[in-house]
Amino acid sequence: MSAQRLAPLILSDDELAELQSLTMRRKTAQALALRARIVLTCAKGGQNKEVAAKLGLSGGR
C-alpha cells in the first residue's frame, strides 16, 4: 500500500515567526514547543513518519 501524499502546509510570515518564537522561548511549556517544532517541520515537507523520525518521536501513545 502506498503512502497518501499530504497537502502542503503553507505558513504565513507571522505564523512562522510565532512558531519559531515558541520553540526558542525558555518559558514555553515543553509540550507546546514540541508541537511548534512539529508544525515547522511539517511545513518543510515530508510525510508524518518522516517528521516523527526526524524529531525522535514514536508513533503511538
Side-chain angles (χ1 to χ4, degrees):
M1 182 163 90
S2 66
Q4 180 181 6
R5 292 306 291 170
L6 300 173
L9 176 59
I10 301 169
L11 301 173
S12 70
D13 290 340
D14 289 341
E15 292 168 327
L16 185 62
E18 179 64 25
L19 289 168
Q20 288 173 334
S21 174
L22 286 172
T23 65
M24 293 185 276
R25 282 196 310 235
R26 291 179 48 137
K27 294 200 177 223
T28 300
Q30 290 304 300
L32 180 57
L34 176 58
R35 288 185 188 104
R37 282 192 296 277
I38 291 169
V39 173
L40 288 168
T41 306
C42 287
K44 292 179 183 175
Q47 295 296 308
N48 292 342
K49 288 183 181 183
E50 295 168 346
V51 171
K54 183 174 183 177
L55 295 176
L57 305 171
S58 65
R61 285 190 156 197

Short mmCIF file of all heavy atoms in Angstrom, two decimals:
data_model
loop_
_atom_site.label_atom_id
_atom_site.label_comp_id
_atom_site.label_asym_id
_atom_site.label_seq_id
_atom_site.Cartn_x
_atom_site.Cartn_y
_atom_site.Cartn_z
N MET A 1 0.84 -1.18 0.00
CA MET A 1 0.00 0.00 0.00
C MET A 1 0.89 1.24 0.00
O MET A 1 1.80 1.36 0.79
CB MET A 1 -0.88 -0.04 1.25
CG MET A 1 -1.83 1.10 1.32
SD MET A 1 -3.16 0.80 2.49
CE MET A 1 -2.47 1.46 3.96
N SER A 2 0.63 2.17 -0.90
CA SER A 2 1.45 3.38 -1.00
C SER A 2 0.94 4.45 -0.03
O SER A 2 -0.23 4.50 0.31
CB SER A 2 1.43 3.92 -2.43
OG SER A 2 0.15 4.36 -2.76
N ALA A 3 1.86 5.30 0.39
CA ALA A 3 1.51 6.37 1.32
C ALA A 3 0.76 7.47 0.58
O ALA A 3 1.12 7.84 -0.53
CB ALA A 3 2.77 6.93 1.96
N GLN A 4 -0.27 7.97 1.21
CA GLN A 4 -1.04 9.07 0.64
C GLN A 4 -0.26 10.36 0.83
O GLN A 4 0.26 10.64 1.91
CB GLN A 4 -2.39 9.17 1.33
CG GLN A 4 -3.27 10.26 0.82
CD GLN A 4 -4.60 10.31 1.59
OE1 GLN A 4 -4.79 9.61 2.56
NE2 GLN A 4 -5.49 11.15 1.12
N ARG A 5 -0.13 11.16 -0.22
CA ARG A 5 0.58 12.43 -0.12
C ARG A 5 -0.29 13.45 0.62
O ARG A 5 -1.48 13.55 0.37
CB ARG A 5 0.91 12.99 -1.51
CG ARG A 5 1.93 12.21 -2.30
CD ARG A 5 3.22 11.98 -1.60
NE ARG A 5 4.01 13.19 -1.40
CZ ARG A 5 5.09 13.23 -0.65
NH1 ARG A 5 5.51 12.16 -0.01
NH2 ARG A 5 5.76 14.33 -0.52
N LEU A 6 0.33 14.16 1.51
CA LEU A 6 -0.37 15.18 2.28
C LEU A 6 -0.37 16.49 1.52
O LEU A 6 0.55 16.79 0.76
CB LEU A 6 0.33 15.37 3.63
CG LEU A 6 0.40 14.14 4.53
CD1 LEU A 6 1.26 14.45 5.74
CD2 LEU A 6 -0.97 13.69 4.94
N ALA A 7 -1.39 17.28 1.76
CA ALA A 7 -1.44 18.62 1.17
C ALA A 7 -0.32 19.45 1.79
O ALA A 7 0.00 19.30 2.96
CB ALA A 7 -2.79 19.26 1.46
N PRO A 8 0.30 20.33 1.02
CA PRO A 8 1.37 21.16 1.56
C PRO A 8 0.87 22.06 2.69
O PRO A 8 -0.25 22.55 2.64
CB PRO A 8 1.84 21.99 0.38
CG PRO A 8 1.03 21.60 -0.79
CD PRO A 8 0.03 20.60 -0.37
N LEU A 9 1.69 22.23 3.68
CA LEU A 9 1.38 23.11 4.80
C LEU A 9 2.11 24.43 4.56
O LEU A 9 3.33 24.47 4.57
CB LEU A 9 1.82 22.48 6.12
CG LEU A 9 1.65 23.33 7.37
CD1 LEU A 9 0.18 23.70 7.58
CD2 LEU A 9 2.17 22.59 8.58
N ILE A 10 1.35 25.47 4.30
CA ILE A 10 1.93 26.77 3.99
C ILE A 10 1.64 27.72 5.15
O ILE A 10 0.48 27.93 5.51
CB ILE A 10 1.36 27.32 2.67
CG1 ILE A 10 1.67 26.33 1.55
CG2 ILE A 10 1.93 28.69 2.37
CD1 ILE A 10 0.95 26.61 0.26
N LEU A 11 2.70 28.27 5.72
CA LEU A 11 2.57 29.19 6.84
C LEU A 11 2.83 30.62 6.38
O LEU A 11 3.71 30.86 5.56
CB LEU A 11 3.58 28.82 7.93
CG LEU A 11 3.48 27.42 8.51
CD1 LEU A 11 4.65 27.16 9.45
CD2 LEU A 11 2.17 27.22 9.24
N SER A 12 2.08 31.54 6.96
CA SER A 12 2.35 32.96 6.69
C SER A 12 3.63 33.36 7.44
O SER A 12 4.10 32.64 8.32
CB SER A 12 1.18 33.82 7.17
OG SER A 12 1.13 33.83 8.59
N ASP A 13 4.16 34.51 7.11
CA ASP A 13 5.36 35.00 7.79
C ASP A 13 5.10 35.18 9.29
O ASP A 13 5.97 34.87 10.11
CB ASP A 13 5.82 36.33 7.18
CG ASP A 13 6.38 36.15 5.78
OD1 ASP A 13 6.76 35.02 5.42
OD2 ASP A 13 6.43 37.16 5.04
N ASP A 14 3.91 35.67 9.64
CA ASP A 14 3.57 35.86 11.05
C ASP A 14 3.48 34.53 11.78
O ASP A 14 3.95 34.39 12.91
CB ASP A 14 2.24 36.60 11.19
CG ASP A 14 2.34 38.07 10.79
OD1 ASP A 14 3.47 38.60 10.75
OD2 ASP A 14 1.30 38.68 10.51
N GLU A 15 2.85 33.53 11.15
CA GLU A 15 2.73 32.20 11.76
C GLU A 15 4.12 31.58 11.94
O GLU A 15 4.41 31.01 13.00
CB GLU A 15 1.87 31.28 10.90
CG GLU A 15 0.41 31.69 10.86
CD GLU A 15 -0.38 30.97 9.79
OE1 GLU A 15 0.17 30.65 8.71
OE2 GLU A 15 -1.58 30.75 10.04
N LEU A 16 4.94 31.70 10.94
CA LEU A 16 6.30 31.16 11.00
C LEU A 16 7.08 31.81 12.15
O LEU A 16 7.73 31.12 12.94
CB LEU A 16 7.01 31.40 9.67
CG LEU A 16 8.39 30.80 9.49
CD1 LEU A 16 8.35 29.29 9.58
CD2 LEU A 16 8.97 31.23 8.17
N ALA A 17 6.99 33.12 12.25
CA ALA A 17 7.70 33.84 13.31
C ALA A 17 7.20 33.43 14.69
O ALA A 17 7.99 33.24 15.62
CB ALA A 17 7.54 35.35 13.11
N GLU A 18 5.89 33.30 14.85
CA GLU A 18 5.33 32.92 16.15
C GLU A 18 5.75 31.51 16.55
O GLU A 18 6.13 31.26 17.69
CB GLU A 18 3.80 33.01 16.10
CG GLU A 18 3.13 32.61 17.39
CD GLU A 18 3.45 33.51 18.57
OE1 GLU A 18 3.79 34.68 18.37
OE2 GLU A 18 3.34 33.03 19.72
N LEU A 19 5.70 30.57 15.60
CA LEU A 19 6.11 29.19 15.90
C LEU A 19 7.59 29.13 16.24
O LEU A 19 7.99 28.43 17.18
CB LEU A 19 5.78 28.28 14.73
CG LEU A 19 4.29 28.01 14.52
CD1 LEU A 19 4.06 27.34 13.18
CD2 LEU A 19 3.73 27.17 15.65
N GLN A 20 8.42 29.85 15.51
CA GLN A 20 9.85 29.87 15.81
C GLN A 20 10.10 30.47 17.19
O GLN A 20 10.95 30.00 17.94
CB GLN A 20 10.61 30.63 14.73
CG GLN A 20 10.68 29.87 13.43
CD GLN A 20 11.28 30.67 12.30
OE1 GLN A 20 11.23 31.90 12.29
NE2 GLN A 20 11.84 29.98 11.33
N SER A 21 9.34 31.49 17.52
CA SER A 21 9.47 32.11 18.83
C SER A 21 9.11 31.13 19.95
O SER A 21 9.79 31.07 20.97
CB SER A 21 8.56 33.35 18.90
OG SER A 21 8.56 33.89 20.19
N LEU A 22 8.06 30.35 19.73
CA LEU A 22 7.64 29.37 20.74
C LEU A 22 8.72 28.32 20.98
O LEU A 22 8.88 27.83 22.10
CB LEU A 22 6.35 28.68 20.31
CG LEU A 22 5.08 29.51 20.42
CD1 LEU A 22 3.92 28.77 19.78
CD2 LEU A 22 4.77 29.84 21.88
N THR A 23 9.46 27.97 19.94
CA THR A 23 10.49 26.94 20.10
C THR A 23 11.72 27.46 20.82
O THR A 23 12.50 26.68 21.36
CB THR A 23 10.93 26.35 18.74
OG1 THR A 23 11.56 27.35 17.96
CG2 THR A 23 9.75 25.76 17.99
N MET A 24 11.90 28.78 20.85
CA MET A 24 13.12 29.36 21.43
C MET A 24 12.93 29.97 22.82
O MET A 24 13.91 30.16 23.53
CB MET A 24 13.70 30.40 20.48
CG MET A 24 14.22 29.79 19.20
SD MET A 24 15.03 30.99 18.14
CE MET A 24 13.63 31.68 17.29
N ARG A 25 11.70 30.29 23.18
CA ARG A 25 11.47 30.92 24.48
C ARG A 25 11.69 29.93 25.62
O ARG A 25 11.25 28.79 25.56
CB ARG A 25 10.04 31.46 24.57
CG ARG A 25 9.87 32.76 23.85
CD ARG A 25 8.61 33.48 24.26
NE ARG A 25 7.43 32.64 24.22
CZ ARG A 25 6.32 32.92 23.56
NH1 ARG A 25 6.24 34.02 22.86
NH2 ARG A 25 5.30 32.11 23.59
N ARG A 26 12.36 30.37 26.65
CA ARG A 26 12.64 29.49 27.79
C ARG A 26 11.40 29.17 28.61
O ARG A 26 11.32 28.13 29.24
CB ARG A 26 13.66 30.16 28.70
CG ARG A 26 15.03 30.25 28.08
CD ARG A 26 15.98 30.93 29.00
NE ARG A 26 15.87 30.39 30.34
CZ ARG A 26 16.87 30.11 31.12
NH1 ARG A 26 18.08 30.35 30.71
NH2 ARG A 26 16.69 29.62 32.32
N LYS A 27 10.42 30.06 28.61
CA LYS A 27 9.24 29.86 29.45
C LYS A 27 8.11 29.11 28.76
O LYS A 27 7.08 28.86 29.35
CB LYS A 27 8.74 31.19 29.96
CG LYS A 27 9.73 31.84 30.90
CD LYS A 27 9.08 32.87 31.76
CE LYS A 27 10.12 33.40 32.71
NZ LYS A 27 9.65 33.55 34.04
N THR A 28 8.30 28.73 27.49
CA THR A 28 7.29 27.98 26.76
C THR A 28 7.23 26.57 27.33
O THR A 28 8.26 25.94 27.55
CB THR A 28 7.62 27.92 25.26
OG1 THR A 28 7.67 29.24 24.75
CG2 THR A 28 6.59 27.11 24.49
N ALA A 29 6.03 26.08 27.58
CA ALA A 29 5.87 24.70 28.03
C ALA A 29 6.48 23.78 26.98
O ALA A 29 6.35 24.01 25.78
CB ALA A 29 4.38 24.38 28.22
N GLN A 30 7.15 22.73 27.42
CA GLN A 30 7.85 21.84 26.50
C GLN A 30 6.92 21.16 25.51
O GLN A 30 7.28 20.95 24.35
CB GLN A 30 8.66 20.81 27.28
CG GLN A 30 9.85 21.42 27.99
CD GLN A 30 10.76 22.17 27.04
OE1 GLN A 30 11.30 21.58 26.11
NE2 GLN A 30 10.92 23.47 27.24
N ALA A 31 5.71 20.82 25.94
CA ALA A 31 4.75 20.20 25.02
C ALA A 31 4.36 21.17 23.91
O ALA A 31 4.24 20.78 22.75
CB ALA A 31 3.51 19.73 25.79
N LEU A 32 4.19 22.43 24.24
CA LEU A 32 3.84 23.44 23.24
C LEU A 32 5.02 23.68 22.29
O LEU A 32 4.83 23.80 21.08
CB LEU A 32 3.44 24.75 23.93
CG LEU A 32 3.05 25.91 23.01
CD1 LEU A 32 1.90 25.52 22.09
CD2 LEU A 32 2.68 27.12 23.83
N ALA A 33 6.22 23.73 22.83
CA ALA A 33 7.40 23.91 21.99
C ALA A 33 7.55 22.73 21.02
O ALA A 33 7.90 22.92 19.86
CB ALA A 33 8.65 24.05 22.86
N LEU A 34 7.28 21.52 21.50
CA LEU A 34 7.36 20.34 20.64
C LEU A 34 6.32 20.42 19.52
O LEU A 34 6.63 20.16 18.36
CB LEU A 34 7.15 19.06 21.45
CG LEU A 34 7.11 17.77 20.64
CD1 LEU A 34 8.39 17.57 19.84
CD2 LEU A 34 6.84 16.59 21.55
N ARG A 35 5.11 20.83 19.85
CA ARG A 35 4.07 20.98 18.81
C ARG A 35 4.49 22.01 17.77
O ARG A 35 4.27 21.83 16.58
CB ARG A 35 2.75 21.36 19.45
CG ARG A 35 2.12 20.22 20.21
CD ARG A 35 0.73 20.60 20.73
NE ARG A 35 0.24 19.57 21.61
CZ ARG A 35 0.20 19.65 22.93
NH1 ARG A 35 0.62 20.74 23.54
NH2 ARG A 35 -0.27 18.65 23.65
N ALA A 36 5.10 23.09 18.22
CA ALA A 36 5.56 24.12 17.30
C ALA A 36 6.64 23.55 16.38
O ALA A 36 6.64 23.80 15.17
CB ALA A 36 6.09 25.33 18.07
N ARG A 37 7.58 22.75 16.94
CA ARG A 37 8.62 22.13 16.12
C ARG A 37 8.01 21.17 15.11
O ARG A 37 8.47 21.08 13.96
CB ARG A 37 9.64 21.40 17.00
CG ARG A 37 10.62 22.34 17.66
CD ARG A 37 11.79 21.61 18.28
NE ARG A 37 11.42 20.73 19.37
CZ ARG A 37 11.23 21.11 20.63
NH1 ARG A 37 11.38 22.38 20.96
NH2 ARG A 37 10.90 20.24 21.55
N ILE A 38 6.97 20.43 15.51
CA ILE A 38 6.30 19.51 14.59
C ILE A 38 5.70 20.28 13.42
O ILE A 38 5.88 19.90 12.26
CB ILE A 38 5.22 18.69 15.33
CG1 ILE A 38 5.88 17.72 16.31
CG2 ILE A 38 4.32 17.94 14.34
CD1 ILE A 38 4.90 17.05 17.27
N VAL A 39 4.99 21.35 13.71
CA VAL A 39 4.35 22.14 12.64
C VAL A 39 5.40 22.73 11.72
O VAL A 39 5.27 22.68 10.49
CB VAL A 39 3.44 23.24 13.23
CG1 VAL A 39 2.92 24.16 12.14
CG2 VAL A 39 2.28 22.61 13.99
N LEU A 40 6.47 23.27 12.28
CA LEU A 40 7.54 23.85 11.46
C LEU A 40 8.18 22.79 10.56
O LEU A 40 8.46 23.05 9.39
CB LEU A 40 8.61 24.50 12.35
CG LEU A 40 8.20 25.80 13.02
CD1 LEU A 40 9.21 26.19 14.09
CD2 LEU A 40 8.03 26.90 12.00
N THR A 41 8.40 21.61 11.10
CA THR A 41 9.00 20.53 10.31
C THR A 41 8.04 20.05 9.23
O THR A 41 8.46 19.79 8.10
CB THR A 41 9.42 19.37 11.23
OG1 THR A 41 10.28 19.88 12.26
CG2 THR A 41 10.18 18.31 10.46
N CYS A 42 6.76 19.96 9.55
CA CYS A 42 5.76 19.56 8.54
C CYS A 42 5.69 20.59 7.41
O CYS A 42 5.49 20.22 6.26
CB CYS A 42 4.39 19.39 9.18
SG CYS A 42 4.23 17.92 10.20
N ALA A 43 5.86 21.85 7.75
CA ALA A 43 5.79 22.90 6.73
C ALA A 43 6.95 22.79 5.74
O ALA A 43 6.84 23.25 4.61
CB ALA A 43 5.79 24.28 7.38
N LYS A 44 8.05 22.15 6.16
CA LYS A 44 9.18 21.96 5.26
C LYS A 44 8.94 20.79 4.31
O LYS A 44 9.71 20.60 3.38
CB LYS A 44 10.45 21.70 6.06
CG LYS A 44 10.91 22.91 6.84
CD LYS A 44 12.15 22.60 7.64
CE LYS A 44 12.56 23.79 8.47
NZ LYS A 44 13.69 23.47 9.35
N GLY A 45 7.90 20.01 4.56
CA GLY A 45 7.57 18.89 3.68
C GLY A 45 7.89 17.56 4.33
O GLY A 45 8.55 17.49 5.36
N GLY A 46 7.42 16.51 3.71
CA GLY A 46 7.67 15.17 4.23
C GLY A 46 6.41 14.56 4.81
O GLY A 46 5.43 15.25 5.12
N GLN A 47 6.45 13.26 4.93
CA GLN A 47 5.33 12.51 5.48
C GLN A 47 5.40 12.50 7.00
O GLN A 47 6.44 12.79 7.60
CB GLN A 47 5.37 11.07 4.95
CG GLN A 47 5.16 10.97 3.45
CD GLN A 47 3.77 11.45 3.04
OE1 GLN A 47 2.77 11.01 3.57
NE2 GLN A 47 3.72 12.36 2.09
N ASN A 48 4.29 12.15 7.63
CA ASN A 48 4.20 12.15 9.09
C ASN A 48 5.29 11.30 9.73
O ASN A 48 5.92 11.71 10.71
CB ASN A 48 2.83 11.66 9.54
CG ASN A 48 1.73 12.62 9.18
OD1 ASN A 48 1.96 13.78 8.90
ND2 ASN A 48 0.50 12.13 9.19
N LYS A 49 5.52 10.11 9.19
CA LYS A 49 6.53 9.21 9.77
C LYS A 49 7.93 9.80 9.63
O LYS A 49 8.76 9.63 10.52
CB LYS A 49 6.46 7.83 9.12
CG LYS A 49 5.24 7.06 9.53
CD LYS A 49 5.23 5.67 8.93
CE LYS A 49 3.97 4.93 9.36
NZ LYS A 49 3.94 3.56 8.88
N GLU A 50 8.19 10.49 8.53
CA GLU A 50 9.49 11.13 8.34
C GLU A 50 9.70 12.25 9.37
O GLU A 50 10.78 12.39 9.94
CB GLU A 50 9.60 11.71 6.93
CG GLU A 50 9.59 10.67 5.83
CD GLU A 50 9.40 11.29 4.46
OE1 GLU A 50 9.02 12.47 4.35
OE2 GLU A 50 9.62 10.57 3.47
N VAL A 51 8.67 13.03 9.59
CA VAL A 51 8.74 14.13 10.56
C VAL A 51 8.94 13.55 11.96
O VAL A 51 9.79 14.03 12.72
CB VAL A 51 7.47 15.01 10.50
CG1 VAL A 51 7.43 16.00 11.64
CG2 VAL A 51 7.39 15.73 9.16
N ALA A 52 8.19 12.51 12.30
CA ALA A 52 8.32 11.88 13.62
C ALA A 52 9.74 11.34 13.82
O ALA A 52 10.33 11.52 14.89
CB ALA A 52 7.29 10.76 13.77
N ALA A 53 10.28 10.68 12.81
CA ALA A 53 11.63 10.13 12.93
C ALA A 53 12.65 11.25 13.08
O ALA A 53 13.57 11.13 13.90
CB ALA A 53 11.94 9.29 11.70
N LYS A 54 12.49 12.32 12.34
CA LYS A 54 13.43 13.44 12.40
C LYS A 54 13.46 14.07 13.80
O LYS A 54 14.50 14.48 14.28
CB LYS A 54 13.08 14.49 11.35
CG LYS A 54 14.04 15.64 11.30
CD LYS A 54 13.72 16.59 10.16
CE LYS A 54 14.76 17.69 10.10
NZ LYS A 54 14.55 18.59 8.99
N LEU A 55 12.28 14.12 14.43
CA LEU A 55 12.18 14.74 15.75
C LEU A 55 12.33 13.73 16.89
O LEU A 55 12.23 14.10 18.06
CB LEU A 55 10.84 15.49 15.87
CG LEU A 55 10.69 16.68 14.95
CD1 LEU A 55 9.30 17.28 15.07
CD2 LEU A 55 11.75 17.74 15.23
N GLY A 56 12.54 12.46 16.54
CA GLY A 56 12.74 11.44 17.57
C GLY A 56 11.47 11.08 18.32
O GLY A 56 11.51 10.79 19.51
N LEU A 57 10.34 11.09 17.62
CA LEU A 57 9.06 10.78 18.23
C LEU A 57 8.61 9.38 17.86
O LEU A 57 8.91 8.88 16.79
CB LEU A 57 7.99 11.79 17.77
CG LEU A 57 8.34 13.25 17.99
CD1 LEU A 57 7.34 14.14 17.32
CD2 LEU A 57 8.42 13.53 19.47
N SER A 58 7.83 8.76 18.75
CA SER A 58 7.28 7.44 18.43
C SER A 58 5.89 7.61 17.84
O SER A 58 5.29 8.67 17.91
CB SER A 58 7.22 6.57 19.69
OG SER A 58 6.31 7.13 20.62
N GLY A 59 5.35 6.54 17.27
CA GLY A 59 4.10 6.62 16.57
C GLY A 59 2.85 6.51 17.42
O GLY A 59 1.77 6.82 16.96
N GLY A 60 2.93 6.07 18.64
CA GLY A 60 1.70 5.86 19.39
C GLY A 60 1.77 6.30 20.83
O GLY A 60 2.79 6.72 21.32
N ARG A 61 0.63 6.21 21.48
CA ARG A 61 0.52 6.58 22.90
C ARG A 61 0.37 5.34 23.72
O ARG A 61 -0.22 4.42 23.46
CB ARG A 61 -0.68 7.46 23.13
CG ARG A 61 -0.42 8.85 22.64
CD ARG A 61 -1.53 9.75 23.10
NE ARG A 61 -0.96 11.08 23.11
CZ ARG A 61 -1.49 12.08 23.74
NH1 ARG A 61 -2.58 11.94 24.42
NH2 ARG A 61 -0.95 13.26 23.72
#
